[in-house]
PDB file of all heavy atoms in Angstrom:
ATOM      1  N   PRO J 151      28.156  26.093  68.881  1.00  0.00           N
ATOM      2  CA  PRO J 151      28.553  26.486  70.237  1.00  0.00           C
ATOM      3  C   PRO J 151      30.059  26.541  70.431  1.00  0.00           C
ATOM      4  O   PRO J 151      30.585  27.518  70.960  1.00  0.00           O
ATOM      5  CB  PRO J 151      27.948  25.405  71.124  1.00  0.00           C
ATOM      6  CG  PRO J 151      26.899  24.754  70.318  1.00  0.00           C
ATOM      7  CD  PRO J 151      27.149  25.043  68.886  1.00  0.00           C
ATOM      8  N   LEU J 152      30.766  25.518  69.942  1.00  0.00           N
ATOM      9  CA  LEU J 152      32.202  25.452  70.236  1.00  0.00           C
ATOM     10  C   LEU J 152      33.005  26.513  69.505  1.00  0.00           C
ATOM     11  O   LEU J 152      34.105  26.859  69.926  1.00  0.00           O
ATOM     12  CB  LEU J 152      32.744  24.060  69.896  1.00  0.00           C
ATOM     13  CG  LEU J 152      32.370  23.010  70.923  1.00  0.00           C
ATOM     14  CD1 LEU J 152      33.005  21.690  70.578  1.00  0.00           C
ATOM     15  CD2 LEU J 152      32.801  23.452  72.317  1.00  0.00           C
ATOM     16  N   ALA J 169      32.771  28.761  79.836  1.00  0.00           N
ATOM     17  CA  ALA J 169      31.770  27.706  79.632  1.00  0.00           C
ATOM     18  C   ALA J 169      30.365  28.274  79.792  1.00  0.00           C
ATOM     19  O   ALA J 169      29.459  27.964  79.006  1.00  0.00           O
ATOM     20  CB  ALA J 169      32.000  26.584  80.638  1.00  0.00           C
ATOM     21  N   VAL J 172      29.425  30.238  76.735  1.00  0.00           N
ATOM     22  CA  VAL J 172      29.074  29.385  75.592  1.00  0.00           C
ATOM     23  C   VAL J 172      27.634  28.881  75.726  1.00  0.00           C
ATOM     24  O   VAL J 172      26.875  28.853  74.758  1.00  0.00           O
ATOM     25  CB  VAL J 172      30.073  28.209  75.465  1.00  0.00           C
ATOM     26  CG1 VAL J 172      29.560  27.178  74.479  1.00  0.00           C
ATOM     27  CG2 VAL J 172      31.423  28.734  75.024  1.00  0.00           C
ATOM     28  N   ILE J 173      27.250  28.506  76.945  1.00  0.00           N
ATOM     29  CA  ILE J 173      25.863  28.068  77.159  1.00  0.00           C
ATOM     30  C   ILE J 173      24.896  29.214  76.876  1.00  0.00           C
ATOM     31  O   ILE J 173      23.888  29.056  76.181  1.00  0.00           O
ATOM     32  CB  ILE J 173      25.691  27.591  78.612  1.00  0.00           C
ATOM     33  CG1 ILE J 173      26.423  26.273  78.782  1.00  0.00           C
ATOM     34  CG2 ILE J 173      24.225  27.428  78.958  1.00  0.00           C
ATOM     35  CD1 ILE J 173      26.697  25.972  80.208  1.00  0.00           C
ATOM     36  N   THR J 176      24.620  29.937  73.176  1.00  0.00           N
ATOM     37  CA  THR J 176      23.998  28.853  72.419  1.00  0.00           C
ATOM     38  C   THR J 176      22.488  28.828  72.620  1.00  0.00           C
ATOM     39  O   THR J 176      21.728  28.603  71.682  1.00  0.00           O
ATOM     40  CB  THR J 176      24.572  27.493  72.881  1.00  0.00           C
ATOM     41  OG1 THR J 176      25.973  27.571  72.840  1.00  0.00           O
ATOM     42  CG2 THR J 176      24.083  26.381  71.989  1.00  0.00           C
ATOM     43  N   GLY J 232      17.625  22.465  75.888  1.00  0.00           N
ATOM     44  CA  GLY J 232      18.212  21.314  75.195  1.00  0.00           C
ATOM     45  C   GLY J 232      19.573  21.679  74.604  1.00  0.00           C
ATOM     46  O   GLY J 232      20.558  20.960  74.782  1.00  0.00           O
ATOM     47  N   LEU J 233      19.609  22.842  73.936  1.00  0.00           N
ATOM     48  CA  LEU J 233      20.870  23.286  73.328  1.00  0.00           C
ATOM     49  C   LEU J 233      21.930  23.545  74.388  1.00  0.00           C
ATOM     50  O   LEU J 233      23.102  23.236  74.197  1.00  0.00           O
ATOM     51  CB  LEU J 233      20.633  24.564  72.516  1.00  0.00           C
ATOM     52  CG  LEU J 233      19.861  24.405  71.214  1.00  0.00           C
ATOM     53  CD1 LEU J 233      19.677  25.759  70.551  1.00  0.00           C
ATOM     54  CD2 LEU J 233      20.599  23.467  70.280  1.00  0.00           C
ATOM     55  N   SER J 234      21.520  24.124  75.529  1.00  0.00           N
ATOM     56  CA  SER J 234      22.516  24.474  76.537  1.00  0.00           C
ATOM     57  C   SER J 234      23.113  23.211  77.150  1.00  0.00           C
ATOM     58  O   SER J 234      24.299  23.184  77.476  1.00  0.00           O
ATOM     59  CB  SER J 234      21.903  25.364  77.611  1.00  0.00           C
ATOM     60  OG  SER J 234      20.964  24.652  78.355  1.00  0.00           O
ATOM     61  N   TRP J 235      22.324  22.162  77.258  1.00  0.00           N
ATOM     62  CA  TRP J 235      22.864  20.894  77.774  1.00  0.00           C
ATOM     63  C   TRP J 235      23.825  20.272  76.763  1.00  0.00           C
ATOM     64  O   TRP J 235      24.822  19.675  77.115  1.00  0.00           O
ATOM     65  CB  TRP J 235      21.701  19.964  78.132  1.00  0.00           C
ATOM     66  CG  TRP J 235      22.102  18.757  78.918  1.00  0.00           C
ATOM     67  CD1 TRP J 235      21.864  17.465  78.598  1.00  0.00           C
ATOM     68  CD2 TRP J 235      22.785  18.716  80.178  1.00  0.00           C
ATOM     69  NE1 TRP J 235      22.352  16.628  79.554  1.00  0.00           N
ATOM     70  CE2 TRP J 235      22.932  17.367  80.539  1.00  0.00           C
ATOM     71  CE3 TRP J 235      23.304  19.696  81.028  1.00  0.00           C
ATOM     72  CZ2 TRP J 235      23.555  16.953  81.708  1.00  0.00           C
ATOM     73  CZ3 TRP J 235      23.931  19.302  82.192  1.00  0.00           C
ATOM     74  CH2 TRP J 235      24.052  17.942  82.526  1.00  0.00           C
ATOM     75  N   LEU J 236      23.508  20.443  75.472  1.00  0.00           N
ATOM     76  CA  LEU J 236      24.447  19.997  74.436  1.00  0.00           C
ATOM     77  C   LEU J 236      25.757  20.756  74.564  1.00  0.00           C
ATOM     78  O   LEU J 236      26.846  20.183  74.451  1.00  0.00           O
ATOM     79  CB  LEU J 236      23.872  20.265  73.042  1.00  0.00           C
ATOM     80  CG  LEU J 236      22.688  19.463  72.546  1.00  0.00           C
ATOM     81  CD1 LEU J 236      22.345  19.877  71.132  1.00  0.00           C
ATOM     82  CD2 LEU J 236      23.005  17.987  72.591  1.00  0.00           C
ATOM     83  N   ALA J 237      25.651  22.063  74.792  1.00  0.00           N
ATOM     84  CA  ALA J 237      26.844  22.912  74.788  1.00  0.00           C
ATOM     85  C   ALA J 237      27.717  22.659  76.003  1.00  0.00           C
ATOM     86  O   ALA J 237      28.941  22.679  75.891  1.00  0.00           O
ATOM     87  CB  ALA J 237      26.427  24.375  74.725  1.00  0.00           C
ATOM     88  N   ILE J 238      27.110  22.400  77.172  1.00  0.00           N
ATOM     89  CA  ILE J 238      27.918  22.274  78.394  1.00  0.00           C
ATOM     90  C   ILE J 238      28.887  21.110  78.275  1.00  0.00           C
ATOM     91  O   ILE J 238      30.056  21.220  78.631  1.00  0.00           O
ATOM     92  CB  ILE J 238      27.030  22.148  79.652  1.00  0.00           C
ATOM     93  CG1 ILE J 238      27.875  22.083  80.923  1.00  0.00           C
ATOM     94  CG2 ILE J 238      26.183  20.901  79.628  1.00  0.00           C
ATOM     95  CD1 ILE J 238      28.474  23.367  81.299  1.00  0.00           C
ATOM     96  N   VAL J 239      28.397  19.991  77.737  1.00  0.00           N
ATOM     97  CA  VAL J 239      29.261  18.816  77.666  1.00  0.00           C
ATOM     98  C   VAL J 239      30.448  19.105  76.751  1.00  0.00           C
ATOM     99  O   VAL J 239      31.609  18.847  77.089  1.00  0.00           O
ATOM    100  CB  VAL J 239      28.449  17.608  77.176  1.00  0.00           C
ATOM    101  CG1 VAL J 239      29.358  16.420  76.979  1.00  0.00           C
ATOM    102  CG2 VAL J 239      27.357  17.273  78.181  1.00  0.00           C
ATOM    103  N   ALA J 240      30.155  19.704  75.598  1.00  0.00           N
ATOM    104  CA  ALA J 240      31.225  20.023  74.659  1.00  0.00           C
ATOM    105  C   ALA J 240      32.193  21.044  75.255  1.00  0.00           C
ATOM    106  O   ALA J 240      33.415  20.898  75.147  1.00  0.00           O
ATOM    107  CB  ALA J 240      30.629  20.558  73.366  1.00  0.00           C
ATOM    108  N   ALA J 241      31.629  22.057  75.918  1.00  0.00           N
ATOM    109  CA  ALA J 241      32.485  23.116  76.453  1.00  0.00           C
ATOM    110  C   ALA J 241      33.383  22.577  77.553  1.00  0.00           C
ATOM    111  O   ALA J 241      34.568  22.912  77.619  1.00  0.00           O
ATOM    112  CB  ALA J 241      31.624  24.265  76.974  1.00  0.00           C
ATOM    113  N   GLU J 242      32.837  21.712  78.407  1.00  0.00           N
ATOM    114  CA  GLU J 242      33.630  21.195  79.525  1.00  0.00           C
ATOM    115  C   GLU J 242      34.744  20.265  79.067  1.00  0.00           C
ATOM    116  O   GLU J 242      35.780  20.157  79.722  1.00  0.00           O
ATOM    117  CB  GLU J 242      32.734  20.464  80.519  1.00  0.00           C
ATOM    118  CG  GLU J 242      32.013  21.417  81.449  1.00  0.00           C
ATOM    119  CD  GLU J 242      31.088  20.679  82.395  1.00  0.00           C
ATOM    120  OE1 GLU J 242      30.890  19.462  82.211  1.00  0.00           O
ATOM    121  OE2 GLU J 242      30.582  21.323  83.305  1.00  0.00           O
TER     122      GLU J 242
END
Side-chain angles (χ1 to χ4, degrees):
Chain J
L152 284 184
V172 168
I173 289 161
T176 309
L233 288 178
S234 67
W235 192 236
L236 290 182
I238 183 73
V239 175
E242 279 178 351

